[in-house]
Amino acid sequence: MEVWFNPSCSKCRTARDELAGAGVDVTLRRYLDAPPSEAELRAALSALRLQPWDITRLSEPLARELGLRDLPRDPDAWIAVLVEHPRLIQRPIVLADDGRAWVARDGETLAEVVAAARG
């Protein structure tokens, strides 16, 4: 499993610790240092079954500066914004090798990730 990880994010650190404590083998991808490509972002969105605005951190000052709340719901435009500004991507995102994915921000979702990892 790959976790899109920001070490300064408490939700990311919690996910890392919970998954490690459960013995789940993960690769931490510091996505601010190694941002996802457009293709990777599209694949993650497909696995998540979400639209780009669903994983956008709209409360970020940058989102307000860019006027994202008023941006038309055109997936290509939103993906372009997220590729250019990866810090706007919700975190942590967990991508499983079998094609499943989660935005793992709460204990219930982390439990689902652990269950999936255990088969």
Side-chain angles (χ1 to χ4, degrees), residues 38-61:
E38 178 182 337
E40 289 173 314
L41 190 53
R42 287 183 185 278
L45 286 164
S46 178
L48 289 164
R49 297 181 179 162
L50 295 174
Q51 295 295 325
W53 44 86
D54 296 326
I55 65 162
T56 301
R57 297 174 55 83
L58 292 173
S59 62
E60 288 286 320

Side-chain angles (χ1 to χ4, degrees), residues 4 11 15 44-45 47-51 54-57 89-95 100-110 112-113:
W4 291 4
K11 301 272 186 197
L45 286 164
L48 289 164
R49 297 181 179 162
L50 295 174
Q51 295 295 325
D54 296 326
I55 65 162
T56 301
R57 297 174 55 83
I89 298 172
Q90 194 59 262
R91 58 193 183 250
I93 292 178
V94 179
L95 304 169
R100 290 182 286 175
W102 301 264
V103 179
R105 296 185 54 76
D106 59 72
E108 183 178 323
T109 303
L110 285 169
E112 190 175 320
V113 172

Side-chain angles (χ1 to χ4, degrees), residues 22-74:
V24 176
D25 186 30
V26 299
T27 299
L28 297 178
R29 177 178 181 171
R30 292 183 179 217
Y31 73 97
L32 298 179
D33 298 330
S37 68
E38 178 182 337
E40 289 173 314
L41 190 53
R42 287 183 185 278
L45 286 164
S46 178
L48 289 164
R49 297 181 179 162
L50 295 174
Q51 295 295 325
W53 44 86
D54 296 326
I55 65 162
T56 301
R57 297 174 55 83
L58 292 173
S59 62
E60 288 286 320
L62 177 59
R64 288 192 296 278
E65 287 174 33
L66 296 172
L68 292 185
R69 289 198 187 275
D70 299 324
L71 186 67
R73 296 289 170 109
D74 171 14

